[in-house]
Amino acid sequence: MKHEVDVLVIGAGPGGSSAAKAAAEAGASVLLIEKRQEIGSPVRCGEGVAMDWLRELGIPPDQRWIAHEVDGARLVSPCGHVMTMDARRAGNETGFVVERDAFDRALASAAVRAGSDIWMRAMATGAKMVGDRMSRVKVDRFGDDVTIVPKVVIAADGFESRVCGWAGLNSRLALKDIDSCLQYRLVGIETDERWNDFYVGSMAPGGYVWVFHKGEGVANVGIGVGAHRLRKKGDVRMYLDRFIASHPELSRGRAVDIVAGAVSTSLPMDTTVKGNLMLVGDAARMIDALTGGGVVHAIRSGQIAGAIAGEHLQGGQPMDRYERAWRREIEDLLVRNYVAKEKAVNLSDETFDRIIGALCELEVSHITTGEILAAVAKVAPEFMAELEDLL
Amino acid sequence: MKRVACDRNVCLYCGTCVGGCPFEAMTLFSTWIEVDHDVCTRCGVCVKLCPVGALTLGEAGP
């Protein structure tokens, strides 16, 4: 069976749904395909989202997907120094813990309401390239083979993207640029649900532990570990279990949900548009290497790609504008935080203690990742010299 | 010959091994992982990467 469409969007996560919505709003016929049977499930995310950033992207808070609101975040050093980042000062980078499955469903629904078609249990299994153009995409739709003939393809197929490879784009990651993550939703814990906590140090080599509260006595407790620090099978789970066991306020809790996944902690891909293909979000390696956050960049790149697809179809404007357009908005931040990550993963526990201890003493007026890095540059210039240019 | 095997009772189908495989030998379907044994080099990266320890590099296969 053949199916012609203006824009094929592969993957109905935040990036894909945002791209489908934008392309539909620009007048294109859009097909969004999702290999799973449920949008957003299983969840593969810590679920902390910066609410001000979402607002800027035109997504106002909605009770259907907000789980909990926090006063801010705390950064905890190995010996227990706590730097508190009050939301009133922390501005746009703290705020809400969401229900990612409900959040993703809301974005996909918005795409459908804007006019996009959607197929569930529809997996792209291969593509035919004619020169630089992806002229055909093979899709297994609930067991039926369908050939899609798209004018534009937007790949939003996430960390494990295969579409890049079909187009001859190299998306392979070095081990040092992958964090393997595991999270439990713990119920019955005795923590302070006013804060989201980040623990750094050798208990999570090459990553960190997060405690993101979803209400009183409930939190997502997760870990990311740098892949190059993993020695044997099951190490990620071992690190998380060991952390929880050593924190009595957490070890009383029971896991009612297990979430796994990986994030790239690399630079974004060099090429994100080729022929009639654009890559968005995690598939383009747009995850913030320092925080592991990717939702807002996926949404923004999706919006840009969808709009450019629409303009391309209407007026013939070249699609390679996509490369410049998303980089203008997002790339500086990704590069700065990548350089910071490369530094941070090599810090000893003693250095983390010294830096976070010193940060507690500093008056930081407006706490963002950038402000923290600027403060770190003051208290530990030897580690942050290369960052000065980027701040 | 050694082969990568996935314990379906442990696997959460999160895709970490698929995205991390240096040889793109793995594919994530909705509820299973497929290993292309012709492409796989038995390097063992996926075994360490798996957040839940679902993968094994062992004597197996027909």
Side-chain angles (χ1 to χ4, degrees):
Chain A
M1 199 171 77
K2 253 189 201 174
H3 189 89
E4 291 188 16
V5 69
D6 286 342
V7 182
L8 172 67
V9 183
I10 301 171
S17 291
S18 301
K21 177 170 183 274
E25 283 170 346
S29 71
V30 184
L31 173 60
L32 174 61
I33 62 171
E34 169 55 46
K35 72 176 167 225
R36 299 192 188 266
Q37 69 269 37
E38 273 181 85
I39 301 275
S41 179
V43 171
R44 301 191 293 185
C45 180
E47 301 183 303
V49 176
M51 194 49 62
D52 279 7
W53 284 5
L54 285 185
R55 280 203 190 89
E56 281 173 27
L57 297 174
I59 301 165
D62 186 327
Q63 290 309 316
R64 284 175 302 176
W65 45 258
I66 292 173
H68 185 62
E69 194 174 347
V70 290
D71 288 347
R74 298 187 299 193
L75 183 60
V76 186
S77 84
C79 78
H81 292 312
V82 180
M83 182 198 181
T84 303
M85 296 171 273
D86 190 310
R88 280 165 296 173
R89 291 189 298 148
N92 63 7
E93 292 189 43
T94 58
F96 288 76
V97 181
V98 302
E99 304 287 359
R100 257 302 292 279
D101 45 356
F103 180 77
D104 286 18
R105 274 198 300 277
L107 292 183
S109 301
V112 170
R113 279 196 291 273
S116 172
D117 194 3
I118 185 168
W119 292 356
M120 297 301 295
R121 266 288 195 185
M123 178 171 173
T125 57
K128 184 180 175 201
M129 300 297 295
V130 176
D132 272 356
R133 276 189 68 81
M134 193 169 276
S135 64
R136 302 272 190 281
V137 177
K138 281 180 61 182
V139 171
D140 181 320
R141 183 191 189 188
F142 227 133
D144 292 333
D145 289 328
V146 185
T147 300
I148 309 290
V149 185
K151 294 196 178 98
V152 173
V153 180
I154 296 175
D157 54 335
F159 173 76
E160 69 276 11
S161 175
R162 279 289 164 272
V163 181
C164 303
W166 298 338
L169 296 171
N170 182 6
S171 63
R172 291 179 195 185
L173 292 162
L175 280 186
K176 72 172 185 63
D177 290 337
I178 301 172
D179 262 36
S180 180
C181 305
L182 184 65
Q183 169 189 286
Y184 303 139
R185 184 177 303 193
L186 291 184
V187 172
I189 56 177
E190 291 165 15
T191 49
D192 189 341
E193 76 271 12
R194 290 176 302 163
W195 308 100
N196 281 342
D197 295 328
F198 298 80
Y199 295 80
V200 292
S202 58
M203 88 295 268
Y208 63 86
V209 169
W210 62 87
V211 178
F212 291 172
H213 287 95
K214 301 202 78 167
E216 193 182 340
V218 187
N220 289 338
V221 181
I223 194 169
V225 183
H228 61 308
R229 303 291 185 85
L230 296 168
R231 294 287 167 260
K232 59 184 188 305
K233 171 177 164 163
D235 267 1
V236 178
R237 188 155 61 124
M238 180 273 292
Y239 278 115
L240 179 58
D241 289 345
R242 187 192 279 173
F243 178 86
I244 290 169
S246 67
H247 287 73
E249 72 279 13
L250 296 174
S251 62
R252 295 186 186 94
R254 309 304 296 164
V256 296
D257 204 349
I258 305 174
V259 168
V263 292
S264 56
T265 58
S266 64
L267 288 166
M269 282 175 65
D270 291 335
T271 304
T272 60
V273 55
K274 182 178 180 184
N276 62 336
L277 172 70
M278 290 180 276
L279 313 176
V280 305
D282 293 12
R285 310 298 184 213
M286 291 181 191
I287 289 184
D288 183 318
L290 190 62
T291 65
V295 172
V296 289
H297 299 322
I299 293 172
R300 186 62 195 134
S301 59
Q303 290 174 338
I304 294 170
I308 284 179
E311 289 161 18
H312 170 73
L313 292 161
Q314 295 243 323
Q317 288 97 328
M319 283 202 342
D320 56 12
R321 289 186 304 137
Y322 172 66
E323 199 82 77
R324 292 189 300 280
W326 78 258
R327 288 183 197 278
R328 197 163 50 230
E329 291 188 31
I330 300 171
E331 190 172 37
D332 284 354
L333 178 71
L334 292 179
V335 171
R336 182 198 74 188
N337 284 5
Y338 175 77
V339 174
K341 174 223 76 165
E342 290 285 283
K343 287 284 174 188
V345 294
N346 290 317
L347 297 183
S348 66
D349 282 0
E350 292 70 29
T351 308
F352 270 126
D353 286 331
R354 188 161 64 78
I355 291 175
I356 295 171
L359 286 173
C360 296
E361 310 289 314
L362 270 180
E363 271 298 310
V364 184
S365 60
H366 188 72
I367 301 172
T368 62
T369 308
E371 291 291 330
I372 293 171
L373 291 175
V376 171
K378 273 184 210 149
V379 299
E382 69 278 27
F383 297 105
M384 289 296 169
E386 291 165 34
L387 270 171
E388 302 265 23
D389 300 342
L390 300 167
L391 292 170
Chain B
M1 187 160 65
K2 282 186 186 291
R3 271 191 159 197
V4 172
C6 175
D7 185 339
R8 291 182 177 210
N9 292 322
V10 179
C11 178
L12 300 175
Y13 312 105
C14 70
T16 298
C17 56
V18 175
C21 173
F23 304 98
E24 299 185 352
M26 305 174 92
T27 306
L28 172 67
F29 293 85
S30 53
T31 53
W32 76 95
I33 298 286
E34 208 166 84
V35 183
D36 184 339
H37 294 291
D38 294 333
V39 177
C40 174
T41 66
R42 292 99 183 140
C43 69
V45 162
C46 57
V47 174
K48 288 188 280 188
L49 268 179
C50 176
V52 291
L55 296 167
T56 312
L57 190 59
E59 305 292 333

